[in-house]
Amino acid sequence: MPFIPHTEAEVGQMLARIDAPSVAALFEEIPSELRAAPLDLHDGLNEMDMLRWMGAQARKDEGTLCFAGAGCYDHHIPAAVWDIATRGEFMTAYTPYQAEASQGTLQLIYEYQSMMAHLMAMDLSNASLYDGASGLGEALLMAVRGNRGSRSRRVLVADSLNPRYRGAAQTIVGPQHIELVPLALDASGVTDTEVLAEHEGLDFAALVIQQPNYFGRLESVHSLTDWAHAQGMLVIAVVNPIAAAVLAPPGEWGENGADIAVGDGQPLGIPMASGGPSFGFMCCTERLVRQMPGRLIGRATDARGTPGYTLVLQAREQHIRRSKATSNICTNQGLLVTAATIHMALLGATGLAQVATACHHANNQLLRHLTAIPGVQVRFDGPHFHEAAVRLPVDPATVLTQLAAEGILGGVPLAPDYPGLSDCLLVCATEMRTDADMARFAGALARTLTAPPRCQAGA
Amino acid sequence: MSKLIFELSTEGRGARAQWPQTPAEALDDLPGELRRRTPPALPHLSELQVVRHYTRLSQRNFSIDTHFYPLGSCTMKYNPRGAHRAASQPGFLQRHPLAPPALSQGVLGCLHRLQAILEEVTGMRGVSLAPMAGAQGEFAGIAMIRAYHEARGDHERKEILIPTAAHGTNPATASMCGYRVREIPVTSGGDVDLEALQQAVGPHTAGLMMTNPSTCGVFETQIRAIADTIHGAGGLLYYDGANLNAILGKVRPGDMGFDVIHMNLHKTFATPHGGGGPGAGPVGVNERLLPFLPRPLVVEDRTADDGLHYRWADKAESPHSIGTLSAFGGNIGILLRALAYALLLGRDGLLRVAEYATLNANYLARALEDAGFQLAFPQRRASHEFIITLQREAREWGVGATDFAKRLLDHGVHAPTVHFPLLIPECLLIEPTETEDLATLDAFVAAMQATRREAEAHPDRLHQAPHTMPIGRLDEVSAARNPDLVWRGDPPMA
């Protein structure tokens, strides 16, 4: 019996103790008409056979050369990160409700909160949310609750926000009748400052800006933040934590800084792994702390004056406040935070900045390779960080299919979310892509553009 | 005490093997005003310092791998290493979430298989794997109930009914979905008060959220009458799968009349808890809620002539979906671990989970009762968990559930869930799970007895417990008044 330690003799002894004739008899309170027929499932496998099947599945997807980003990035992960994070004492611990038996996890999260607050230049950080996109949904709810000067349930959301973030946030805030009002792009792929005037004097709870934006372009975050604050809005910054090592952090946007910073922690030592599990981070100003969703760890002392760490401000949370809680979130993404904390400790400020620099360098190299192909152009003028939209002379969907046949993930098509950019691919090269990788991608792309799509036999 | 990682830092040090080499002028094309002016205050450390610090921190934790964890409603069972290995293969870890089906048949095939297994286990017609934890599954479930009523033009249903014994996430979820919450009392036998329920339902009822077995640790025997009452009033029935471990293969939520269910794979399907996540909270629905399932869904196309049998369903195939819940497809790494677990157990293994979890709980309940502890529902058969109340101990010796819980830590046992459900005073909710052996259960009984003897003779020892942990009880009141959430170079406030 897999993972069940009982011997037959022990089962007999236990049944005798509870005066039950059989294990099946323990379910006598379940009305007989409800009891299930034997499940229509497979026979159990031993570990070897299970790994054989799962291994064959994994190998089908192995070996892809990745030039996609769009919110998930292929970075180097130091070997130590997951060696330590998957120690059973971290991996198989429960949520640290019993502080005295959870000081390892609690101190680690306090260190995480500190690192993240420093990286974002914000007052404080929570212990994590599910991912960046759902984190944005929580940030919108928080801004609507926390903006005392506004009665609005509308938020301005730049069109340059990752559309997958917009989608998930919409699902999460929709039932509370919060409306996402779009802000158009200008010709250079950033928020159009001309359209801001149209929104002046109207009541919005918040403005959402992503930096670098979905197209890898840099938004004028200082003037956007100051404008939003002058209009009485809170500013929600959506940022990439690696980029924050070299770009102005949210806490330093404009005169007073963003009010809430959210994003996905995946670039901090989390494998792409089909996009999850990763974790969402959320930082905010001191003023908003009691509106924060999720867990917060604080430092305190015991009766002997020994410092220790514990969950604090739990009166915001569902297990205390129930229907009045700031969110229903309970389980979050603890183990990913463990990995990210080890990752940030290893890299340090210099290492993170070097990774960011290397990514920027690699992406510029990639754009040089690709734009050397006739008909391929960078779609937007101006500097890009991390990724860029490139325009192709043929349908990007067809190109991606042909590249996939060569084991290359050639980017993400923009057509489904931006009809006006249906001739564009969003491409990305991290520090992991070598010049040879880029040459292979460019060569394959050039072939797909010069050769007509392969025809069906006989056509 | 353990130093903070920041206190180990020395300017000029670094784990240089982890730094890529790139000329700094590579950033010169970025506008100066958008660049960071001062580096973040992260520590400067060698690789060994980092490894040693976090290895030592790990040793300041209880975990399933090191300790018994009879934490009620949390199902802290063994997390098979084989499942972890299965999900940690390069093909799974290195796949980008937006890779097309041609580069994704392996993972899509796994997810499709898991969807089918979960449908069979729960007796539901469709499953979405998208929710990333139980609470997000609850959100998806209640959002679907809302979408269902709205699609029928039924806009007056503004209330969700929830038994008082429910998890806090239930009322919090209902609020997040824009509903009013009305609590339904629980009888002294541990069942929902059917009469009160019948009086509460009406044209304003959107649905009822409940667990079965309930958090009282008993099977709700009137479930059909409850379902009829809710359905008769036009509402829908939500199953909180927190306690699914108790009934695997024995009775299916779909057969009990539930319309929608979430599962906690980090409980029932043994994926590691990670010190507070990640989890996975798939939702299952019956026929009437199928159109509203959250995206993305994996579909099978056996006849695909390109050999690509699995793909994500197009948006156009689920126009009434409540939408997406994350940037990509949810916590796929956890879903793969759950699938590996299901493959290992199979039909018979899953059934045995419920049987032996229930055997262990009933044995432990009886042994504690024999040792003089008071069960909250002595007349009932325990499910996979049960409640003892320390009301008598609190009255006679002034030691409560928290004091017991803290003293158990000194015995090397993680505390059971304390003061939950809220309706039972001074309670411990105890769930041993099926993976613990008889000797461990007996040792727990011995620890409880020793604690009880001590409570009578030296109540102060319990008030001051724990005594052998790295720290004693923390002053949570002053920690809340003046929260210290971020290290800024200063010592802790005394």
Side-chain angles (χ1 to χ4, degrees), chain B residues 100-413:
Chain B
L103 301 172
S104 312
Q105 287 300 292
V107 77
L108 291 175
C110 286
L111 298 179
H112 190 267
R113 188 158 183 189
L114 181 62
Q115 284 177 188
I117 290 171
L118 297 180
E119 284 166 17
E120 174 64 14
V121 165
T122 58
M124 298 312 240
R125 276 279 286 114
V127 163
S128 165
L129 304 172
M132 291 176 286
Q136 215 190 27
E138 289 182 31
F139 176 88
I142 299 300
M144 283 190 274
I145 289 178
R146 191 184 169 100
Y148 167 83
H149 291 310
E150 279 176 4
R152 292 157 50 94
D154 194 348
H155 301 297
E156 297 312 305
R157 300 188 180 272
K158 298 193 183 307
E159 197 167 87
I160 292 281
L161 306 174
I162 300 176
T164 46
H167 297 115
T169 48
N170 290 179
T173 298
S175 293
M176 259 185 107
C177 290
Y179 282 115
R180 263 194 328 261
V181 173
R182 187 194 289 202
E183 296 213 320
I184 303 296
V186 171
T187 67
S188 58
D191 289 324
V192 168
D193 184 337
L194 192 56
E195 214 169 290
L197 180 69
Q198 282 158 347
Q199 281 163 15
V201 296
H204 51 275
T205 304
L208 169 75
M209 297 178 85
M210 63 181 286
T211 51
N212 194 16
S214 73
T215 53
C216 295
V218 296
F219 190 84
E220 175 60 71
T221 51
Q222 322 165 85
I223 181 60
R224 285 315 284 263
I226 292 170
D228 291 345
T229 303
I230 296 297
H231 288 147
L236 298 182
L237 211 59
Y238 182 92
Y239 183 89
D240 176 332
N243 294 343
L244 188 64
N245 210 56
I247 57 165
L248 277 181
K250 286 288 178 187
V251 53
R252 306 190 303 171
D255 300 338
M256 287 191 258
F258 286 94
D259 300 286
V260 49
I261 154 176
H262 87 263
M263 296 148 258
N264 298 77
L265 299 186
H266 47 295
K267 298 181 182 180
T268 314
F269 285 75
T271 70
H273 234 289
V283 281
V285 294
N286 64 11
E287 196 77 37
R288 61 177 129 189
L289 290 178
L290 269 181
F292 307 105
L293 276 174
R295 289 192 291 262
L297 298 166
V298 182
V299 291
E300 183 181 25
D301 187 1
R302 270 277 148 219
T303 58
D305 49 14
D306 51 7
L308 303 182
H309 297 305
Y310 302 101
R311 60 177 174 82
W312 298 111
D314 291 333
K315 222 169 167 173
E317 290 172 82
S318 59
H320 301 291
S321 165
I322 59 162
T324 56
L325 296 162
S326 67
F328 303 111
N331 282 341
I332 288 176
I334 301 305
L335 300 170
L336 292 172
R337 283 169 176 80
L339 173 63
Y341 178 76
L343 292 176
L344 287 166
L345 267 60
R347 177 187 54 251
D348 299 336
L350 287 169
L351 182 67
R352 286 192 200 109
V353 164
E355 292 185 336
Y356 287 82
T358 303
L359 176 64
N360 274 0
N362 278 280
Y363 174 83
L364 199 53
R366 176 62 58 86
L368 287 171
E369 194 180 22
D370 290 350
F373 288 96
Q374 189 187 337
L375 295 176
F377 302 104
Q379 73 283 23
R380 300 292 301 270
R381 175 68 76 196
S383 62
H384 66 311
E385 64 187 357
F386 62 94
I387 300 170
I388 63 172
T389 168
L390 299 168
Q391 227 178 334
R392 208 166 49 207
E393 289 79 356
R395 197 174 50 234
E396 290 180 15
W397 308 319
V399 292
T402 299
D403 301 317
F404 258 78
K406 297 299 183 193
R407 191 60 173 138
L408 282 172
L409 302 177
D410 290 324
H411 288 275
V413 175

Side-chain angles (χ1 to χ4, degrees), chain A residues 6 36 40-41 43 61 87 91 93 100-101 105 110-111 114 119 171 222 246 273-274 299 302 323 332 354 360, chain B residues 20 29 33 36 54 58 61-62 93 95 106-107 120 173 175 250 274-276 324 347 360 406 472 484 487 490:
Chain A
H6 303 58
D40 182 14
L41 290 178
D43 292 328
D61 300 348
R87 285 178 61 94
M91 189 164 75
E100 301 88 346
T105 289
Y110 178 84
E111 293 179 355
S114 302
L119 185 58
T171 308
H222 301 301
V246 297
S274 293
R299 189 159 55 157
D302 69 8
S323 67
N332 51 43
Q354 297 233 19
H360 183 60
Chain B
D29 62 331
E33 77 276 11
R36 186 167 191 135
Y54 289 108
S58 78
N61 263 4
F62 276 26
L93 293 183
R95 180 182 170 271
V107 77
E120 174 64 14
T173 298
S175 293
K250 286 288 178 187
T324 56
R347 177 187 54 251
N360 274 0
K406 297 299 183 193
D484 170 1
W487 180 84
D490 29 339

Side-chain angles (χ1 to χ4, degrees), chain A residues 100-340:
Chain A
E100 301 88 346
S102 315
Q103 283 299 296
T105 289
L106 287 164
Q107 180 175 334
L108 181 141
I109 300 174
Y110 178 84
E111 293 179 355
Y112 161 79
Q113 289 175 179
S114 302
M115 291 182 194
M116 207 40 110
H118 296 321
L119 185 58
M120 296 296 144
M122 301 288 290
D123 292 339
L124 56 106
S125 161
N126 75 359
S128 81
L129 300 167
Y130 305 126
D131 80 333
S134 58
L136 175 62
E138 293 278 6
L140 298 179
L141 297 176
M142 182 175 167
V144 168
R145 281 194 308 268
N147 189 340
R148 294 285 154 78
S150 165
R151 298 178 57 81
S152 175
R153 301 185 78 75
R154 303 201 306 160
V155 287
L156 280 175
V157 181
D159 271 350
S160 57
L161 172 74
N162 185 331
R164 287 172 199 82
Y165 279 44
R166 176 195 300 273
Q170 177 67 56
T171 308
I172 291 161
V173 305
Q176 297 193 35
H177 304 292
I178 291 169
E179 189 190 346
L180 278 55
V181 178
L183 265 184
L185 295 175
D186 71 9
S188 74
V190 297
T191 300
D192 190 343
T193 46
E194 304 271 300
V195 305
L196 292 181
E198 295 169 21
H199 301 282
E200 281 177 11
L202 304 175
D203 191 9
F204 290 96
L207 166 68
V208 178
I209 318 165
Q210 181 178 339
Q211 180 81 324
N213 74 22
Y214 187 59
F215 313 109
R217 294 279 292 121
L218 298 182
E219 298 280 349
S220 301
V221 290
H222 301 301
S223 54
L224 286 168
T225 299
D226 289 340
W227 175 80
H229 280 159
Q231 300 297 313
M233 302 176 206
L234 296 182
V235 172
I236 300 173
V238 177
V239 289
N240 177 326
I242 293 283
V246 297
L247 297 179
E252 294 173 7
W253 290 5
E255 286 293 314
N256 297 312
D259 301 278
I260 303 171
V262 290
D264 203 286
Q266 183 272 333
L268 298 172
I270 316 299
M272 295 192 288
S274 293
S278 146
F279 71 95
F281 62 84
M282 181 184 273
C283 298
C284 70
T285 57
E286 190 83 55
R287 213 157 45 84
L288 289 170
V289 61
R290 279 164 214 275
Q291 298 299 334
M292 182 74 109
R295 294 176 184 140
L296 287 167
I297 308 305
R299 189 159 55 157
T301 51
D302 69 8
R304 288 163 292 184
T306 310
Y309 305 87
T310 183
L311 289 160
V312 295
L313 303 183
Q314 294 186 66
R316 300 163 299 111
E317 292 192 69
Q318 49 76 27
H319 61 283
I320 308 287
R321 279 305 282 288
R322 299 176 75 84
S323 67
K324 304 279 194 297
T326 53
S327 166
N328 72 341
I329 191 166
C330 178
T331 290
N332 51 43
Q333 305 285 113
L335 192 66
L336 294 313
V337 162
T338 305

